[in-house]
Amino acid sequence: MKKGTVYSWGSAIIIFIVLMIVTPTIPQSQAYHDFADQRSFLWIPNTLNVISNFPFLIIGLIGLVLCFFPGNYFRFSLRGERIGWTCFYAGVAAVAFGSSYYHLHPNDDTLLWDRLPMTIAFTSIMAIFVIERIDEHKGTYSIFPLLLAGLVSIFYWRFFDDLRPYAVVQFVPCIAIPLMAILLPPMYTHSTYWLWAAGFYLLAKVEEAADKPIYSWTHHIISGHSLKHLSAAMVPVFLTLMLAKRTVQTERTSLYKTWKISWARSKGKGSEEERFDHSYSNVAAEETR
C-alpha cells in the first residue's frame, strides 16, 4: 500500500479516536422499536413494515446478475469496480432479509441483522466513489478496510451500546457522496443519477423521522417507516439505471463546473466566448505557394 494511502487511513483513524474521546456515548433508544404501524395481516407481525422490504431483494438480485452479465453490461473499466458493486448489491439484497427479520420482532438483537447489510452497502459505495473519482488503486485497496470498519461499528454498538461509530459510517457517506458527485470530475456519464439517489435517501430519512405523523396523515393506511423502505429502495434503482446508461466520459468535467457554465450561458455571459471560439471555424486556409 502506498504511503499516501497509509497516511490517509492514519489521519482518519486519529480523527475518529479524537471524536470518540471528546463526544459522549449515544445509547440505542428503546423507543426506536415503537413503530406507528403494528398491524398484522395473514399472521405476519408488523406486516407492511416487513413486506415493504421486498423491493430490496428484487433490485439487489438484478444488480448482482448484471454485474456478471456477459459482455460487461455495466461497462466496468476500472480496477475494483466489479468487486465494489458486487458488495453493494449483495448488501442491498441482504437488507430484504435482515430488515424483514428485524420488523417481525423489533428489538436490539434483531436490529443487528437489519443494520449489517445496510452497512455493507454504505461502505461499498464509499469505496466505489474513491475508485471512480479519486484513484482506482486506492479505492480498490479501501474496499476491505471500509467493510471491516462498518462491521466493527455494528458490533461495537451491540456490545457497548454506543452508536457513535455506526453514526459515522452511516452519515459520512450521506455528506461525502453528494459533495464528491458535484465537485469531482466523473469517469462516466449520467453522474446526476448519484444526486437522484442521494435525494431519495434523504427523503427516506425524513419519512423515517415522521413515521407516526405520516401514519396519522394517511388515516392509518401506511406509515412513514414503510414509505422509508420504498424510498430507500429507489437508491439502488437509480444507481442501476446509471450503470446501465453510462459511458466513459470523454471530457471529465465536474457537475459544479457544468452547472456554472450553463448558468453563465443562460445569463448571456457565454455568448461572446462562444462566438470567439468559433469565429475562424469556416475560414478556408489559404494555399501556400
Side-chain angles (χ1 to χ4, degrees):
M1 191 176 294
K2 296 181 180 180
K3 287 185 178 180
T5 306
V6 174
Y7 291 151
S8 298
W9 276 103
S11 300
I13 292 172
I14 291 172
I15 293 172
F16 175 75
I17 292 173
V18 171
L19 288 174
M20 289 291 288
I21 293 173
V22 301
T23 57
T25 59
I26 305 175
Q28 177 65 58
S29 171
Q30 294 306 300
Y32 179 84
H33 308 304
D34 183 24
F35 297 104
D37 188 358
Q38 300 183 18
R39 295 172 297 175
S40 298
F41 302 104
L42 301 175
W43 303 281
I44 302 175
N46 309 307
T47 308
L48 290 186
N49 282 344
V50 172
I51 65 175
S52 56
N53 287 290
F54 184 67
F56 288 108
L57 178 61
I58 299 300
I59 189 61
L61 291 178
I62 290 174
L64 284 172
V65 170
L66 294 180
C67 277
F68 297 93
F69 200 76
N72 194 14
Y73 185 81
F74 281 156
R75 302 176 181 88
F76 296 129
S77 61
L78 299 173
R79 178 185 178 188
E81 274 190 302
R82 192 184 303 274
I83 298 173
W85 283 109
T86 298
C87 291
F88 170 73
Y89 282 115
V92 169
V95 165
F97 298 102
S99 185
S100 296
Y101 176 60
Y102 163 63
H103 283 289
L104 286 172
H105 305 286
N107 57 65
D108 285 356
D109 291 330
T110 55
L111 183 57
L112 171 73
W113 301 104
D114 181 22
R115 287 176 170 168
L116 269 175
M118 287 193 294
T119 302
I120 292 172
F122 288 141
T123 51
S124 300
I125 281 293
M126 279 300 298
I128 290 166
F129 240 89
V130 175
I131 290 171
E132 181 186 332
R133 304 293 176 114
I134 300 175
D135 185 274
E136 63 181 297
H137 300 290
K138 292 179 181 178
T140 302
Y141 288 132
S142 71
I143 293 175
F144 177 75
L146 285 171
L147 288 172
L148 181 61
L151 295 178
V152 168
S153 73
I154 292 294
F155 288 106
Y156 185 90
W157 154 67
R158 193 63 195 95
F159 287 110
F160 299 102
D161 194 22
D162 186 359
L163 285 169
R164 287 178 297 171
Y166 176 72
V168 171
V169 168
Q170 184 180 30
F171 290 110
V172 166
C174 297
I175 299 171
I177 288 176
L179 285 177
M180 288 195 292
I182 293 171
L183 298 176
L184 299 181
M187 175 73 182
Y188 301 100
T189 59
H190 294 81
S191 190
T192 52
Y193 279 74
W194 284 106
L195 301 184
W196 281 103
F200 271 100
Y201 185 76
L202 177 61
L203 176 62
K205 300 307 290 184
V206 171
E207 290 167 340
E208 180 182 34
D211 180 32
K212 293 180 180 179
I214 290 175
Y215 191 54
S216 176
W217 296 338
T218 59
H219 301 284
H220 297 183
I221 295 175
I222 192 169
S223 69
H225 201 87
S226 296
L227 288 176
K228 173 235 179 176
H229 290 159
L230 300 178
S231 295
M234 291 301 296
V235 173
V237 168
F238 270 93
L239 295 182
T240 303
L241 290 173
M242 178 194 70
L243 291 174
K245 291 173 176 289
R246 71 180 188 174
T247 56
V248 175
Q249 189 84 279
T250 53
E251 295 183 5
R252 299 188 65 177
T253 305
S254 68
L255 285 176
Y256 172 74
K257 188 173 181 180
T258 302
W259 293 342
K260 189 176 180 180
I261 293 172
S262 299
W263 176 257
R265 286 177 178 171
S266 67
K267 292 297 182 180
K269 295 179 181 179
S271 58
E272 293 182 4
E273 295 177 2
E274 289 176 4
R275 285 197 297 270
F276 179 79
D277 291 340
H278 300 284
S279 58
Y280 297 100
S281 60
N282 296 321
V283 178
E286 186 177 346
E287 185 178 356
T288 58
R289 297 174 185 266

